[in-house]
Amino acid sequence: MNIVILLGAPGSGKGTIAAKLAGDNENLKHVSSGDLLRGAVAKGTEAGKAAKDFMEAGKLVPDELIAAMIKDVIAETQGEVTMLLDGFPRNVAQAEILEKTGAPIKSAVLVDVPDEIITDRIAGRRTCPKCKAGYHVKSLPPKVEGVCDKCGAALTIRKDDNPDTVKDRLVVYHRETEPLIKFYEAKGLLKKIDGNQSPATAAAAFTAAM
Ligand code: AP5
Ligand code: MG
């Protein structure tokens, strides 16, 4: 097993790219910290109860809480698999926790999108609560409005996707997560792709970079 980290602002397309690549290649496994946390909130587990308010406010959940979940997924992942790690690490402390697991990191790929584009991306995002497929009302619409192509469930809007929370999430990204660019650059692991192009082109660029 090895790990490719997806770095990028909220709405930069990390989840869209990782889901596409993992859907096309069974040796790639998409692990989204946000999906793990939303799953825990939906199930009402202790971790979910502890995470809920942070997430709705657009703040990071405590490092130990998310790190415990990621460590479990790493421990249960065996064989010739590349894990596309989407949303973790989110700050330098989490990057150090990841290093201590000993899991080999192949690269950290920054999906680069300017902040002006992010607001529109997130405003149009629709998500399937059942199979987690992601859509956008303009750039990636479902065949039938409001209905998931893959499983037929009614699409929803994420609670943290309102404009005020998005502003806060961007502030958190620049303050907490952006320092990881230098962190991985110093280790010779950083790659960068232009995320401001079509989802298919961005996914192809990601494959070439990772
Ligand atoms: P998380 O779920 O990780 O959210 P995020 O980082 O804010 O990222 P997003 O999921 O919003 O964006 P994305 O890059 O995946 O974009 P997407 O592909 O959907 O985290 C949520 C919360 O959980 C955090 O705020 C925090 O509270 C907590 N959390 C998670 N991890 C944590 C951690 N490690 N530590 C502490 N707390 C943590 O695309 C967005 C939209 O744009 C979609 O509609 C999509 O269809 C569209 N789109 C995608 N690509 C393109 C394209 N190329 N062109 C046009 N449209 C596109
Ligand atoms: Mg995502």
Side-chain angles (χ1 to χ4, degrees), residues 145-156:
E145 196 187 323
V147 179
C148 180
D149 290 350
K150 295 186 179 125
C151 74
L155 300 178
T156 53

Side-chain angles (χ1 to χ4, degrees), residues 13-158:
K14 304 179 296 293
T16 303
I17 291 170
K20 166 143 183 54
L21 299 191
D24 292 348
N25 181 341
E26 60 182 25
N27 294 321
L28 298 178
K29 174 174 175 171
H30 177 200
V31 176
S32 155
S33 57
D35 285 348
L36 290 173
L37 289 164
R38 281 183 288 277
V41 172
K43 279 192 202 134
T45 65
E46 286 308 313
K49 283 183 204 153
K52 190 168 183 280
D53 290 347
F54 291 99
M55 295 177 75
E56 287 182 8
K59 294 188 183 135
L60 295 185
V61 308
D63 294 338
E64 320 78 62
L65 192 160
I66 182 63
M69 289 180 165
I70 299 292
K71 282 186 200 164
D72 285 349
V73 181
I74 290 175
E76 74 198 17
T77 305
Q78 309 286 333
E80 299 277 300
V81 175
T82 294
M83 184 182 291
L84 301 174
L85 194 49
D86 160 12
F88 186 95
R90 204 69 153 227
N91 57 29
V92 171
Q94 293 181 9
E96 285 165 350
I97 294 173
L98 180 62
E99 260 179 10
K100 286 202 188 105
T101 66
I105 298 168
K106 189 172 166 229
S107 55
V109 185
L110 172 66
V111 182
D112 195 28
V113 176
D115 283 6
E116 312 83 81
I117 308 284
I118 298 290
T119 320
D120 183 52
R121 288 241 185 126
I122 293 189
R125 171 163 47 195
R126 300 293 180 269
T127 313
C128 177
K130 206 168 153 204
C131 75
K132 312 289 173 242
Y135 300 88
H136 188 279
V137 291
K138 285 185 236 155
S139 61
L140 209 62
K143 291 192 185 90
V144 178
E145 196 187 323
V147 179
C148 180
D149 290 350
K150 295 186 179 125
C151 74
L155 300 178
T156 53
I157 297 178
R158 261 170 54 177

